Amino acid sequence: MKQWTSEIEIHSPIEHVWSYLDGSLEQMQKIMPQVVENKPIKITKEGVGSIYRQKYQEGKRIEEYDVHTLDYSNQPDNKKVKIGFTLANSFEITALYELRKLEDQKTLLRYTAATKPLKWFLKLLMVFATEKVVVSFLERVKKVAESETSS
């Protein structure tokens, strides 16, 4: 398994940044435009154990998988959600999003992604995997959140 963690300061209120991760499909698509569907299958009161059927478009191909909520906390100054899913019967992926309120208009977003290849030949690909995807995701969230906050 390979894991990457990175964090970024975002000049936007914590609730606004959280809305991309814990809100509607429309909000989610602002930071994850390839997600074309996110239907609730099972919703729990505490969040953990909730399952969403998600569709993700890569080029002309659409992958469908179930996203499981593994950890969830929604406090005023600290929020987190950890999800897990299996992509194309090839990779087990977990993503942990942690938000901490630094000031009224400033939020720290920490993102941890882990990928476990399920087939031996995919382990070779993981040797060359970098944290570039994690860093570019954080930069996209910052750009979107700050552009919406300033306007």
Side-chain angles (χ1 to χ4, degrees), residues 101-119:
K101 179 179 177 176
L102 300 175
E103 297 170 13
D104 283 348
Q105 296 292 319
K106 194 186 286 185
T107 303
L108 181 72
L109 171 58
R110 178 184 202 140
Y111 175 43
T112 302
T115 303
K116 178 183 174 187
L118 299 176
K119 298 182 167 94

Side-chain angles (χ1 to χ4, degrees), residues 124-137:
L124 300 172
L125 285 176
M126 295 307 295
V127 171
F128 302 104
T130 67
E131 70 176 14
K132 182 181 170 206
V133 173
V134 171
V135 172
S136 63
F137 173 75

Side-chain angles (χ1 to χ4, degrees), residues 1-40:
M1 178 167 38
K2 205 144 186 190
Q3 181 172 304
W4 303 270
T5 300
S6 192
E7 57 185 37
I8 197 165
E9 273 189 21
I10 301 172
H11 296 275
S12 183
I14 190 170
E15 290 297 336
H16 185 75
V17 179
W18 182 243
S19 73
Y20 301 121
L21 303 168
D22 193 46
S24 66
L25 174 63
E26 183 183 24
Q27 280 297 93
M28 182 185 290
Q29 286 177 322
K30 291 177 182 177
I31 62 168
M32 300 177 210
Q34 302 94 334
V35 174
V36 294
E37 192 173 286
N38 191 48
K39 279 190 187 163

Side-chain angles (χ1 to χ4, degrees), residues 35-118:
V35 174
V36 294
E37 192 173 286
N38 191 48
K39 279 190 187 163
I41 301 299
K42 175 185 170 191
I43 302 297
T44 64
K45 193 173 68 162
E46 58 281 341
V48 174
S50 294
I51 302 170
Y52 293 84
R53 173 109 357 107
Q54 213 170 74
K55 289 185 180 177
Y56 180 91
Q57 186 165 1
E58 189 68 56
K60 293 184 179 184
R61 200 173 82 232
I62 294 181
E63 290 287 340
E64 183 177 277
Y65 45 86
D66 289 347
V67 176
H68 297 257
T69 305
L70 307 171
D71 196 359
Y72 184 89
S73 175
N74 186 356
Q75 303 302 316
D77 294 344
N78 290 290
K79 301 174 184 301
K80 76 175 168 184
V81 61
K82 181 177 184 178
I83 59 167
F85 58 96
T86 301
L87 185 60
N89 293 320
S90 299
F91 297 98
E92 276 182 12
I93 298 173
T94 59
L96 172 61
Y97 308 95
E98 299 170 284
L99 284 74
R100 192 172 81 233
K101 179 179 177 176
L102 300 175
E103 297 170 13
D104 283 348
Q105 296 292 319
K106 194 186 286 185
T107 303
L108 181 72
L109 171 58
R110 178 184 202 140
Y111 175 43
T112 302
T115 303
K116 178 183 174 187
L118 299 176

